[in-house]
């Protein structure tokens, strides 16, 4: 380590040398003692030594010197190095000069000349100590400052990190809150679902119990119904075997046996039919049908019954004009015959009127009106359910199995129609059957349907339908109102036809089809013909199916059996959205 330097300044050479000698003796081991004879020389030496990185802890300067006095000199030194300690050595310094040097140069001590040696050495010793302590203090201060800065930086960095972590935590918290909300919603939804499901299951259970009860009642009833003709058959066969009877009596027995057999047959046919209807095995066979054949058929069918009851008359009044329509004529007559059978069965005396009218909304409404025992209001709906009878005791009296109206209602729905009743006990009942009127006669077509779609003819409809009967119905209906139709037998065919035929204006899409169902086909078609109206047709009227269809992009969802007026309304609504081809 370099030695420190003490500079002594005095213009009197003798004093300067004696000062140097005294200082050298006491501090020569640790310090170099430099001298200068005037202030300028001393400043030069000071700067030179400083540039060479020497430590100069102390300057001892005379006061009275030529060119620059001690106070001015020490002030300059102070400006260059505030830490260097300054001792003024004087015999005749002014008070002003000393005050000056104390204030401006931070004077360490004033030593008067001639100095006392021990005082000088002690003062220098203390000055050196004080310098080194001050330096140490400064060093420590510097280190402390640096430490404090680095600490501040660390604290700032840590604060930033903590703030970021906090932000992340807040975000996480938000996420957790939203997840919690979602979970809560889901839980509520699940609870709702469980409640609905439980309710549905309870209803299904009650229904199953009711069915069970009805089936038992039905079995008792059916066994009575079967036993009655069976007894007749067995009884008359025994009589024939006994050979005690005349020829004409025997012939009468044979007729009675035949009637009983027919009754049995009818019951068996009803039972088989209702189970086929329940499993969707019965389809309507739509073809042209003339309603004017109905009166004759009914008359001959019930001729025998009416002959046996002279208190009852059957009046059938149909319009004289020919009414040709598209329907399943066999099922239509079956319904009417069931209604007339009931009317005869539940009308001991009086009259039965049968007739029809055509309504403005393209329906044919048939009615069977009797003056019989009537039906209380609370039974008006449930008598159309299978095995339901107003009073089991009455059915013992009048016969019947509780299946006729259930079959009639199912048939009416197959024809795209409905059945209902107006009745009052003791006054009689009127049963109504309404089916869509799809006319065959051109003049009437103008009035019923075609004129509702003026301006839209020559539009082309793609009918995606796998069932032949349903297609025949839709095709005939469309042709009657002058629309062109093209058929696809499954979803895949519908997509291909649509790709190859730009003239298709609208699609009637069955949902349940082989190979590709209606949902998938519609999705495919909408990819390349986004604006084409696609009307879903489904026999399964589940609300989820409907919302699924609308979500996919179906323009409308209609349930089968399709009603003509509904079809026309839907075509009208969606054809209005596409440009009209001039007729
Ligand atoms: P059923 O073979 O018992 O006549 P239906 O299903 O045809 O079965 O009729 C159900 C019930 O409705 C009958 O049992 C009867 O109580 C009532 N009903 C049906 N038609 C008439 C009618 N024209 N007048 C009074 N009651 C009727």
């Amino acid at each position: 380590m370099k030695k420190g330097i003490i500079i002594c300044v005095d213009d009197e050479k003798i004093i300067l040398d004696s000062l140097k000698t005294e200082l050298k003796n006491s501090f020569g081991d640790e310090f170099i003692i430099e001298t200068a004879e005037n202030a300028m020389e001393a400043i030069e030496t000071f700067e030179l030594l400083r540039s060479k990185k020497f430590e100069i802890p102390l300057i001892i300067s005379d006061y009275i010197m030529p060119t620059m006095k001690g106070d001015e000199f020490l002030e300059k030194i102070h400006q260059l190095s505030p830490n260097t300690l300054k001792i003024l050595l004087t015999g005749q310094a002014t008070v002003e000069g000393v005050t000056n040097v104390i204030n401006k140069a931070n004077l360490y001590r004033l030593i008067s000349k001639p100095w006392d040696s021990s005082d000088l050495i002690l003062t220098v010793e203390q000055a050196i100590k004080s310098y080194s302590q001050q330096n140490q203090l400064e060093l420590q201060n510097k280190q402390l400052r640096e430490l404090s800065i680095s600490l501040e930086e660390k604290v700032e960095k840590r604060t930033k990190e903590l703030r970021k972590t906090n932000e992340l935590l807040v975000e996480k918290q938000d996420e957790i809150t939203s997840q919690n909300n979602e979970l809560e919603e889901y839980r509520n939804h699940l609870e709702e679902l469980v409640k609905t499901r439980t309710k549905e299951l309870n209803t299904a259970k009650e229904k199953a119990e009711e069915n069970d009860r009805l089936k038992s009642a039905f079995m008792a009833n059916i066994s009575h119904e079967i036993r009655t003709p069976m007894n007749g058959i067995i009884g008359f066969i025994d009589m024939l075997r006994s050979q005690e009877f005349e020829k004409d009596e025997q012939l009468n027995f044979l007729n009675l046996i035949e009637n009983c057999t027919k009754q049995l047959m009818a019951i068996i046919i009803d039972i088989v039919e209702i189970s086929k209807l329940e499993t969707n095995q019965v389809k309507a066979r739509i073809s042209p049908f003339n309603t004017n054949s109905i009166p004759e058929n009914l008359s001959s069918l019930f001729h025998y019954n009416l002959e046996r009851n002279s208190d009852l008359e059957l009046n059938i009044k149909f319009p004289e004009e020919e009414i040709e329509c598209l329907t399943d004529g066999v099922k239509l007559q079956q319904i009417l015959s069931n209604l007339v059978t009931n009317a005869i069965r539940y009308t001991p005396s009086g009259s039965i009127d049968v007739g029809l009218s055509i309504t403005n909304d393209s329906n044919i409404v048939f009615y069977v009106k009797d003056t019989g025992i009537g039906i209380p209001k609370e039974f008006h709906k449930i008598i159309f359910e299978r095995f339901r009878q107003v009073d089991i005791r009455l059915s013992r009296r009048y016969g019947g199995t509780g299946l006729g109206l259930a079959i009639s209602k199912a048939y009416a729905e197959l024809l795209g129609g409905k059945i209902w009743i107006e009745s009052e006990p003791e006054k009689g009942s009127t049963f109504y059957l309404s089916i869509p009127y799809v006319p065959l006669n051109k003049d009437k077509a103008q009035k019923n349907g075609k004129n509702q779609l003026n301006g839209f003819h020559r539009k082309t409809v793609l009918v995606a339908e796998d069932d032949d009967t349903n297609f025949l119905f839709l095709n005939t209906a469309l042709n009657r109102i002058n629309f062109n139709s093209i058929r696809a037998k499954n979803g895949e065919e519908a997509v291909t036809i649509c790709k190859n035929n730009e003239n298709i204006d609208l699609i009637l899409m069955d949902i349940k089809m082989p190979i590709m169902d209606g949902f998938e086909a519609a999705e495919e078609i909408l990819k390349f013909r986004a604006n084409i109206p696609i009307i879903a047709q489904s026999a399964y009227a589940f609300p989820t199916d409907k919302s699924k269809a609308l979500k996919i992009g179906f323009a409308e969802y209609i349930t089968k059996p399709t009603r003509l007026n509904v079809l026309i309304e839907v075509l009208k609504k969606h054809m209005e959205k596409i440009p009209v081809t001039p007729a």
Side-chain angles (χ1 to χ4, degrees):
M1 214 178 94
K2 272 181 180 176
K3 279 184 174 179
I5 291 177
I6 299 170
I7 300 177
C8 305
V9 192
D10 203 313
D11 58 333
E12 281 179 61
K13 183 96 172 76
I14 305 171
I15 295 178
L16 198 59
D17 287 344
S18 111
L19 189 62
K20 184 176 178 177
T21 313
E22 269 190 52
L23 293 175
K24 205 170 178 180
N25 288 341
S26 297
F27 305 105
D29 290 349
E30 295 162 65
F31 292 93
I32 298 167
I33 316 296
E34 278 291 334
T35 54
E37 289 184 18
N38 58 56
M40 299 313 289
E41 189 194 327
I43 290 170
E44 251 172 55
T45 309
F46 184 87
E47 283 182 330
L48 182 74
L49 291 169
R50 288 246 309 178
S51 69
K52 290 185 178 166
K53 307 273 177 227
F54 279 99
E55 282 271 306
I56 307 170
L58 181 65
I59 285 186
I60 303 170
S61 173
D62 185 20
Y63 181 68
I64 307 281
M65 287 187 294
T67 61
M68 190 187 288
K69 278 199 191 148
D71 59 343
E72 195 186 338
F73 162 65
L74 289 180
E75 196 184 323
K76 278 213 159 56
I77 291 294
H78 187 67
Q79 281 163 8
L80 293 171
S81 166
N83 281 359
T84 301
L85 297 176
K86 294 112 196 162
I87 294 175
L88 196 60
L89 196 63
T90 178
Q92 23 181 302
T94 61
V95 174
E96 192 200 345
V98 174
T99 317
N100 226 9
V101 85
I102 288 172
N103 289 338
K104 293 185 180 167
N106 193 21
L107 188 71
Y108 180 69
R109 269 289 297 275
L110 180 73
I111 297 180
S112 20
K113 279 184 186 169
W115 63 78
D116 173 62
S117 251
S118 57
D119 179 41
L120 173 76
I121 299 306
L122 202 68
T123 306
V124 170
E125 211 175 76
Q126 277 173 352
I128 290 165
K129 235 187 234 165
S130 155
Y131 176 86
S132 116
Q133 275 172 355
Q134 192 175 324
N135 269 3
Q136 229 167 343
L137 264 178
E138 264 176 25
L139 188 72
Q140 278 172 357
N141 272 349
K142 197 178 158 210
Q143 283 171 346
L144 274 174
R145 248 193 320 274
E146 277 171 6
L147 196 69
S148 142
I149 289 171
S150 113
L151 269 177
E152 269 173 24
E153 277 173 1
K154 272 189 190 156
V155 167
E156 201 175 318
K157 198 172 157 210
R158 195 80 193 107
T159 313
K160 265 188 194 163
E161 282 172 5
L162 281 173
R163 210 170 284 141
K164 200 151 187 189
T165 317
N166 196 31
E167 278 168 14
L168 283 176
L169 277 174
V170 169
E171 259 174 43
K172 205 85 199 134
Q173 174 75 29
D174 285 352
E175 218 172 277
I176 289 172
T177 314
S178 110
Q179 276 173 358
N180 273 349
N181 288 346
E182 262 174 46
L183 274 176
E184 180 69 18
E185 255 174 48
Y186 190 64
R187 197 175 65 87
N188 288 344
H189 177 64
L190 270 183
E191 271 176 16
E192 224 20 70
L193 270 183
V194 169
K195 259 190 219 157
T196 324
R197 200 82 195 97
T198 313
K199 212 170 159 191
E200 281 171 6
L201 284 173
N202 277 339
T203 319
K205 184 174 154 263
E206 278 163 20
K207 186 104 191 145
E209 284 168 359
E210 170 79 351
N211 275 348
D212 204 40
R213 205 178 54 71
L214 283 172
K215 277 207 172 128
S216 308
F218 168 73
M219 286 313 290
N221 193 23
I222 211 89
S223 106
H224 171 265
E225 282 301 302
I226 291 174
R227 267 170 215 280
T228 313
M230 270 303 200
N231 282 342
I233 293 168
I234 293 165
F236 290 122
I237 287 175
D238 280 347
M239 285 184 191
L240 283 175
R241 239 190 234 121
S242 72
Q243 293 183 346
E244 289 167 10
F245 297 92
E246 296 298 316
K247 191 99 184 144
D248 52 340
E249 279 178 309
Q250 286 181 6
L251 270 178
N252 192 29
F253 293 160
L254 280 175
N255 280 338
L256 289 167
I257 289 173
E258 193 184 0
N259 277 339
C260 292
T261 316
K262 278 183 185 163
Q263 268 183 52
L264 264 182
M265 214 40 218
I267 292 167
I268 290 162
I269 286 170
D270 273 2
I271 294 170
V272 172
E273 192 65 5
I274 201 83
S275 60
K276 273 163 87 186
L277 280 163
E278 278 178 358
T279 49
N280 278 328
Q281 291 181 57
V282 184
K283 301 261 184 276
R285 294 177 195 282
I286 308 287
S287 59
F289 176 73
N290 191 327
T291 57
N292 294 54
S293 59
I294 295 175
E296 211 186 309
N297 291 347
L298 284 181
S299 299
S300 60
L301 204 60
F302 294 102
H303 172 75
Y304 177 71
N305 305 53
L306 291 161
E307 248 185 10
R308 286 198 309 179
N309 184 351
S310 57
D311 295 335
L312 193 60
E313 58 177 29
L314 176 65
N315 310 310
I316 307 177
K317 274 189 229 133
F318 272 36
E320 271 175 22
E321 54 179 314
E322 300 272 304
I323 300 172
E324 274 198 286
C325 63
L326 271 175
T327 189
D328 183 333
V330 176
K331 294 207 169 45
L332 171 63
Q333 293 195 85
Q334 183 68 54
I335 301 170
L336 292 173
S337 127
N338 282 354
L339 295 180
V340 176
T341 305
N342 279 349
I344 293 173
R345 189 183 281 160
Y346 301 106
T347 310
S349 65
S351 60
I352 296 162
D353 295 324
V354 183
L356 72 82
S357 64
I358 295 178
T359 61
N360 290 338
D361 58 348
S362 301
N363 285 313
I364 311 179
V365 180
F366 297 88
Y367 64 87
V368 177
K369 181 175 182 336
D370 66 53
T371 57
I373 60 171
I375 301 168
K377 194 151 179 57
E378 64 269 27
F379 286 95
H380 286 190
K381 225 173 166 171
I382 58 168
I383 50 166
F384 293 101
E385 291 173 15
R386 59 194 180 5
F387 312 136
R388 289 287 199 161
Q389 294 178 312
V390 172
D391 186 340
I392 191 95
R393 286 160 307 177
L394 283 182
S395 73
R396 292 267 192 276
R397 197 158 111 208
Y398 297 105
T401 54
L403 289 178
L405 287 179
I407 293 173
S408 302
K409 179 171 179 265
Y411 278 177
E413 282 163 5
L414 276 177
L415 301 185
K418 58 178 180 178
I419 191 166
W420 70 99
I421 178 192
E422 283 170 8
S423 176
E424 244 183 88
E426 314 296 336
K427 289 195 176 156
S429 314
T430 308
F431 282 82
Y432 294 95
L433 163 71
S434 153
I435 57 164
Y437 177 31
V438 185
L440 279 176
N441 183 303
K442 275 227 155 165
D443 296 339
K444 281 172 204 141
Q446 289 286 345
K447 273 193 238 150
N448 296 283
K450 187 183 159 191
N451 56 349
Q452 294 181 41
L453 284 153
N454 271 346
F456 297 114
H457 38 308
R458 290 199 197 167
K459 292 287 174 206
T460 304
V461 175
L462 173 66
V463 181
E465 175 62 74
D466 61 324
D467 184 273
D468 291 342
T469 316
N470 286 344
F471 172 71
L472 183 67
F473 169 74
L474 291 169
N475 186 42
T476 318
L478 288 168
N479 287 345
R480 285 299 122 199
I481 51 177
N482 268 345
F483 276 51
N484 297 327
S485 70
I486 300 175
R487 181 183 184 185
K489 284 191 170 181
N490 58 56
E492 200 177 74
E493 251 183 57
V495 177
T496 314
I497 294 173
C498 250
K499 265 190 188 144
N500 301 328
N501 194 334
E502 284 183 358
N503 296 334
I504 292 167
D505 296 306
L506 183 142
I507 303 168
L508 285 173
M509 180 82 79
D510 183 27
I511 293 298
K512 201 168 161 286
M513 285 187 292
I515 305 176
M516 183 190 277
D517 71 13
F519 289 130
E520 211 180 323
E523 267 181 319
E524 284 302 313
I525 293 168
L526 288 168
K527 279 182 195 162
F528 57 89
R529 289 218 38 198
N531 293 326
I532 192 158
I534 309 181
I535 316 293
Q537 290 194 97
S538 175
Y540 303 96
F542 294 118
T544 44
D545 275 359
K546 184 172 181 178
S547 57
K548 182 177 172 187
L550 297 179
K551 210 166 166 192
I552 285 174
F554 277 92
E556 197 92 36
Y557 182 95
I558 53 182
T559 42
K560 283 182 179 176
T562 311
R563 308 284 307 270
L564 184 69
N565 54 337
V566 173
L567 182 67
I568 290 173
E569 272 314 307
V570 168
L571 290 176
K572 223 169 116 182
K573 181 169 156 197
H574 293 283
M575 286 297 178
E576 268 160 12
K577 291 182 191 159
I578 53 177
V580 174
T581 314

